[in-house]
């Protein structure tokens, strides 16, 4: 039997199971168990998997940050605090068509930094901003693309669950991942804003929300949320707190903000807690399945097969990187970011770590740069049809206001801008490493 037959069969079977709609965690773990039995691996390998699950997932203190940040975002969203801040920003920036579009971007950044939950961000923006964008004169595709892209910033701008998972898989400090994502995140916002300014030319002034803009009211509506974001991120990046400690601070701070706005409600807190448990359980189950899959896949020669396939296009470091980025981008059409991260990063990371790109990066700095490239690339998976989750969220929240065609046409320019930013990050690594 060919040395590549088993790993290739394992990869194809796993992908087929995921696309058939079976639970991802079960497919990954089931494929691992099946290929232990059909390969020449000893059955004692099951004991090794148990040890890896405990060491890599169940006893990983860093992963405590995931439920805490999810809870923080859900409390802010379910209590109405995020909606209040969104309305305040619209009030301040909605005086022109461009201002209206940029206000959606600004709120996308605030929601991203406060919650990191793409679904909540896209739905909130759709409900509150879509009618006003259309009143201003934006066409439906532009409105759809702007809302989907702004909401998807939540997966990149820290504190992001994806960056925590990437940092864990790449064995790089999460504070460095957070710091490295700030420049690319702001660059994405900047290129989005340029597109908005171009699309808004010739449109009339946006109708302002009722009432005058009161600076004191604006400060009260935005100040606590911005302060919470700065304290949480600042404490991590400055080294005063670990991501786990800062996530606890953020969760507690979110409850304090609800008390400040008199939005504290035990039923709301319990609803956020229940959804946090559900979401966290899904993430950790996938991590357990992926841990089993990657261990068995490597043991039967999968990493060698992947490395051979990549280097078949050439051994130049930039060529290898282009092949890796291309593979991740194409898989983003059919797989979720979590699946791609947990399955591919343990395979791709050692390959990239051994390359010299001539940009002076090595060690952790090289892996942080690579991790942010992957994060920006994976962000496109939320916008690419047919399985882009942001497209599903937007379609559900918009009801009959948008068609699927409107949404697909609208996100295309933003996908191209994301790929442009990805190219800039490859050409100018300092955008990522400047704050590390």
């Amino acid at each position: 039997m060919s040395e590549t037959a088993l790993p290739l069969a394992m990869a194809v079977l796993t992908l087929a199971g995921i696309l058939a709609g079976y639970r991802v965690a079960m497919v990954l773990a089931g494929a691992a168990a099946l290929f232990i039995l059909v390969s020449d691996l000893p059955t004692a390998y099951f004991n090794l998997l148990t040890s890896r699950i405990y060491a890599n997932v169940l006893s990983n203190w860093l992963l405590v940050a995931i439920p805490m940040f999810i809870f923080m975002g859900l409390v802010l969203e379910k209590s109405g605090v995020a909606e209040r801040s969104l309305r305040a920003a619209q009030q301040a920036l909605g005086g022109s068509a461009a201002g209206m579009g940029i206000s959606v971007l600004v709120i996308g950044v605030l929601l991203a930094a406060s919650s990191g939950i793409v679904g909540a961000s896209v739905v909130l923006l759709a409900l509150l901003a879509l009618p006003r964008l259309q009143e201003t004169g934006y066409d439906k595709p532009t409105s759809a693309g702007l809302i989907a892209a702004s909401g998807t910033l939540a997966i990149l701008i820290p504190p992001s669950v994806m960056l925590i998972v990437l940092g864990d898989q790449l064995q790089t400090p999460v504070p460095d991942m957070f710091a490295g994502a700030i420049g690319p995140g702001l660059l994405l916002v900047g290129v989005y804003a340029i597109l908005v300014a171009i699309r808004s030319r010739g449109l009339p002034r946006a109708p302002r929300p009722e009432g005058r803009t009161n600076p004191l009211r604006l400060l009260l509506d935005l100040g606590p949320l911005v302060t919470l974001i700065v304290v949480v991120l600042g404490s991590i990046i400055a080294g005063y707190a670990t991501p786990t400690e800062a996530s606890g601070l953020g969760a507690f701070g979110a409850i304090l903000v609800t008390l400040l706005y008199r939005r504290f409600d035990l039923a709301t807190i319990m609803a956020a807690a229940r959804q946090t448990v559900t979401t966290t359980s899904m993430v950790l189950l996938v991590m357990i399945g992926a841990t089993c899959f990657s261990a068995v896949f490597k043991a039967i020669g999968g990493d060698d097969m992947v490395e051979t396939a990549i280097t078949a296009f050439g051994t130049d470091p930039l060529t290898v990187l282009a092949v890796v980025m291309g593979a991740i981008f194409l898989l983003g059409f059919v797989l979720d970011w979590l699946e791609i991260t947990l399955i591919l990063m343990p395979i791709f990371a050692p390959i990239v770590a051994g390359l010299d790109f001539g940009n002076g990066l090595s060690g952790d700095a090289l892996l942080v740069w690579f991790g942010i490239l992957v994060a920006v690339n994976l962000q496109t998976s939320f916008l690419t049809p047919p399985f882009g989750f942001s497209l599903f969220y937007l379609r559900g929240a918009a009801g009959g206001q948008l068609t699927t065609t409107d949404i697909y046409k609208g996100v295309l320019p933003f996908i191209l801008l994301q790929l442009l930013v990805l190219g800039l990050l490859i050409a100018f690594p300092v955008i990522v490493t400047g704050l590390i």
Side-chain angles (χ1 to χ4, degrees):
M1 180 181 291
S2 168
E3 293 182 356
T4 63
L6 271 180
L8 184 60
M10 187 176 183
V12 170
L13 182 65
T14 303
L15 183 61
I18 293 173
L19 294 180
Y22 293 102
R23 299 283 183 181
V24 173
M26 301 300 105
V27 172
L28 293 172
L34 175 62
F35 278 83
I36 288 177
L37 297 175
V38 301
S39 69
D40 57 0
L41 294 176
T43 54
Y45 209 82
F46 284 106
N47 296 329
L48 175 62
L49 292 186
T50 304
S51 301
R52 285 177 63 94
I53 290 169
Y54 183 79
N56 294 352
V57 182
L58 299 183
S59 63
N60 191 338
W61 184 248
L62 174 64
L63 300 183
V64 175
I66 293 176
M68 290 297 179
F69 280 131
I70 292 173
F71 179 74
M72 180 181 91
L74 288 171
V75 168
L76 294 173
E77 184 253 323
K78 290 183 177 296
S79 65
V81 171
E83 179 181 342
R84 179 172 180 165
S85 299
L86 187 149
R87 292 189 183 278
Q90 287 184 338
Q91 182 85 6
L93 299 173
S96 66
M100 183 66 242
I102 291 173
S103 72
V104 176
L105 279 173
V106 170
I107 292 303
V109 172
L110 290 177
L111 290 176
S114 61
S115 72
I117 303 173
V118 171
S121 297
V122 173
V123 170
L124 264 177
L125 288 172
L127 294 176
L128 297 177
L130 181 58
R132 289 186 48 74
L133 286 170
Q134 294 186 352
E135 288 173 10
T136 306
Y138 284 93
D139 58 74
K140 289 183 178 181
T142 300
S143 301
L146 177 58
I147 289 171
S150 299
T152 306
L153 289 170
I155 203 64
L156 177 64
I157 293 179
S160 161
V161 171
M162 180 168 71
L163 295 179
I164 295 173
V165 175
L166 271 171
D168 178 65
Q169 293 298 306
L170 296 173
Q171 298 294 298
T172 57
V174 172
D176 288 351
M177 293 293 292
F178 281 5
I182 292 176
L186 295 178
L187 181 58
L188 269 176
V189 173
V191 296
Y192 289 171
I194 292 173
L195 178 62
V196 168
I198 294 172
R199 291 289 180 90
S200 64
R201 292 176 63 184
L203 296 180
R205 290 182 65 82
R208 277 188 175 276
E210 294 181 4
R212 299 178 60 186
T213 301
N214 185 321
L216 179 59
R217 179 72 182 208
L218 184 64
L219 180 62
L220 290 175
D221 287 343
L222 287 175
L225 181 60
V226 173
T227 300
L228 176 63
I229 294 168
V230 170
V231 169
V232 171
L233 291 185
S235 64
I236 296 173
I237 294 173
Y240 295 122
T242 66
T244 303
E245 294 165 342
S247 67
L249 177 64
F252 180 66
I255 294 178
L256 291 182
V257 172
T258 64
L259 288 169
L260 177 65
Y261 287 144
R262 298 181 181 179
R263 297 287 186 93
F264 180 84
D265 179 14
L266 187 58
T268 298
I269 301 300
M270 290 305 296
R274 283 192 293 270
Q275 191 169 341
T276 298
V277 171
T278 302
T279 305
T280 304
S281 299
M282 180 273 293
V283 172
L284 292 182
L285 274 175
V286 174
M287 293 188 76
I288 289 171
T291 298
C292 298
F293 176 89
S294 62
V296 175
F297 189 69
K298 286 184 176 182
I300 62 176
D303 51 348
D304 294 331
M305 182 193 75
V306 172
E307 184 172 0
T308 301
I310 291 174
T311 54
F313 291 90
T315 57
D316 177 73
L318 289 178
T319 301
V320 172
L321 182 63
V323 173
V324 169
M325 290 293 112
I328 292 173
F329 177 74
L330 292 176
L331 286 173
F333 281 83
V334 293
L335 296 181
D336 184 33
W337 70 267
L338 186 61
E339 299 150 16
I340 295 173
T341 300
L342 296 176
I343 295 172
L344 296 184
M345 286 309 98
I347 299 171
F348 286 161
I351 297 174
V352 173
L355 299 175
D356 180 6
F357 292 92
N359 53 18
L361 298 181
S362 61
D364 281 348
L366 174 62
L367 287 176
V368 168
W369 174 65
F370 174 65
I372 298 303
L373 294 182
V374 172
V376 174
N377 197 339
L378 287 176
Q379 193 178 5
T380 63
S381 70
F382 281 83
L383 300 179
T384 48
F387 299 123
F389 281 89
S390 291
L391 311 183
F392 296 153
Y393 298 137
L394 179 55
R395 185 72 176 89
Q401 298 180 74
L402 296 171
T403 66
T404 301
T405 302
D406 290 331
I407 296 173
Y408 284 4
K409 288 171 61 178
V411 298
L412 181 58
F414 292 92
I415 294 172
L416 295 177
L417 289 177
Q418 288 176 341
L419 295 178
L420 171 64
V421 168
L422 181 62
L424 291 174
L425 299 183
I426 293 173
F428 305 102
V430 69
I431 302 173
V432 174
T433 60
L435 293 178
I436 298 176

